[in-house]
Amino acid sequence: ALLGAAAGLAQRGLVPIVEVPYAKYLDCGFDQFAEIAVMHWLSNGRQPNGMVIRMQGFDRGLFGGNFHTHNWLPLLPGVDVVATSTGREYVKAMRHAVRQARAGRVVMVVDATYLLNLRHVHGRDEAWLTSYPAEGDELAFDAVLERPDDSDAVRRVACVTWGTGVVAALRARKLLDDGVALDVFEQPCLTWSAEGLATALAPYDAVVFADPCKPNQCPLMRVVSELQETDAIPRRWRLAAAQPTYNPLGRDLTFSSADDVAE
């Protein structure tokens, strides 16, 4: 019903922002979601269908089971999927999503319940508190965000991730040997070209792709494939994905962790 109403509003020329409360709930309206994704193409651009779908409650959070902590994303052609890791970047990404929706694109903005209230990365450092972005400041689809390790270690390893994986990667730094530095790269738009990442990864000979999704459903495998095809992937690489199972009530079995990245 939510997606159907959004489609109707979009076809009347409005720009709806529809919230799907949890990622798993999209399964119930998947056919409607697929129709929204394909409609612009079927009409050769003549049928307006621009909207923003806010996918709330994705991944980490211990208040519920699989329906409230699902970690699978449908990456359909015709839908731009964006998942940020901080409140500041979320605002910037939402601004860009709305502007793109006005131009007719379908954009799904994903947020994790865990990140909504996160303040600290290590101890009580308040490292995840961010300032509100200036008016008009947006996060473009091709943006690549870098969080370099301030260690002076000689051996540097890259970590490509998104969403809750960013926090896991930053925490993994403390689990590594003193001689290893972990530079974290985040491309919030999971459906965009990996050209920016290819440039960022050029100096590295090793990279970890830390994906919050399950191994056979993770968006970063598309990135790996694109980098491989253009001969831009570092010589040594590894995928660190979530466990291939479902999440029981009040447990964190399926969530990617710092240990997964550090391994």
Side-chain angles (χ1 to χ4, degrees), residues 88-89 91-97 99 102 132-140:
R88 178 180 177 84
E89 302 306 328
V91 172
K92 293 162 61 177
M94 181 62 79
R95 289 171 178 170
H96 191 69
R99 188 159 66 86
R102 288 196 178 103
Y132 199 80
E135 187 71 27
D137 196 3
E138 296 183 9
L139 186 70

Side-chain angles (χ1 to χ4, degrees), residues 73-159:
L73 287 176
L75 305 182
L76 301 183
V79 180
D80 300 298
V81 180
V82 182
T84 56
S85 61
T86 69
R88 178 180 177 84
E89 302 306 328
Y90 183 88
V91 172
K92 293 162 61 177
M94 181 62 79
R95 289 171 178 170
H96 191 69
V98 171
R99 188 159 66 86
Q100 294 301 320
R102 288 196 178 103
R105 300 180 79 103
V106 179
V107 187
M108 185 163 71
V109 179
V110 182
D111 66 56
T113 304
Y114 175 70
L115 295 174
L116 292 177
N117 299 306
L118 185 66
R119 298 179 61 183
H120 313 293
V121 177
H122 301 291
R124 301 191 62 81
D125 59 5
E126 297 191 341
W128 228 237
L129 294 181
T130 57
S131 59
Y132 199 80
E135 187 71 27
D137 196 3
E138 296 183 9
L139 186 70
F141 288 150
D142 62 353
V144 176
L145 310 178
E146 181 178 358
R147 294 178 173 82
D149 195 329
D150 58 8
S151 166
D152 57 0
V154 175
R155 184 187 176 200
R156 306 197 76 86
V157 177
C159 179

Side-chain angles (χ1 to χ4, degrees), residues 136-260:
D137 196 3
E138 296 183 9
L139 186 70
F141 288 150
D142 62 353
V144 176
L145 310 178
E146 181 178 358
R147 294 178 173 82
D149 195 329
D150 58 8
S151 166
D152 57 0
V154 175
R155 184 187 176 200
R156 306 197 76 86
V157 177
C159 179
V160 175
T161 187
W162 56 275
T164 54
V166 176
V167 176
L170 295 178
R171 288 174 175 164
R173 288 174 175 171
K174 291 190 175 296
L175 304 177
L176 300 175
D177 296 336
D178 292 339
V180 179
L182 189 67
D183 297 325
V184 180
F185 296 91
E186 174 187 6
Q187 180 170 302
C189 188
L190 304 177
T191 49
W192 206 252
S193 166
E195 184 177 350
L197 278 174
T199 301
L201 295 177
Y204 297 87
D205 68 352
V207 58
V208 176
F209 295 93
D211 201 308
C213 288
K214 300 175 178 66
N216 59 340
Q217 300 168 330
C218 54
L220 289 184
M221 284 309 298
R222 181 199 62 81
V223 174
V224 170
S225 177
E226 183 177 335
L227 292 173
Q228 186 74 53
E229 289 176 358
T230 57
D231 199 28
I233 196 168
R235 181 175 58 87
R236 299 172 57 204
W237 67 271
R238 183 176 72 87
L239 175 68
Q243 294 297 314
T245 184
Y246 300 99
N247 205 52
L249 185 65
R251 300 288 299 280
D252 59 0
L253 179 64
T254 67
F255 303 144
S256 298
S257 68
D259 290 322
D260 295 328

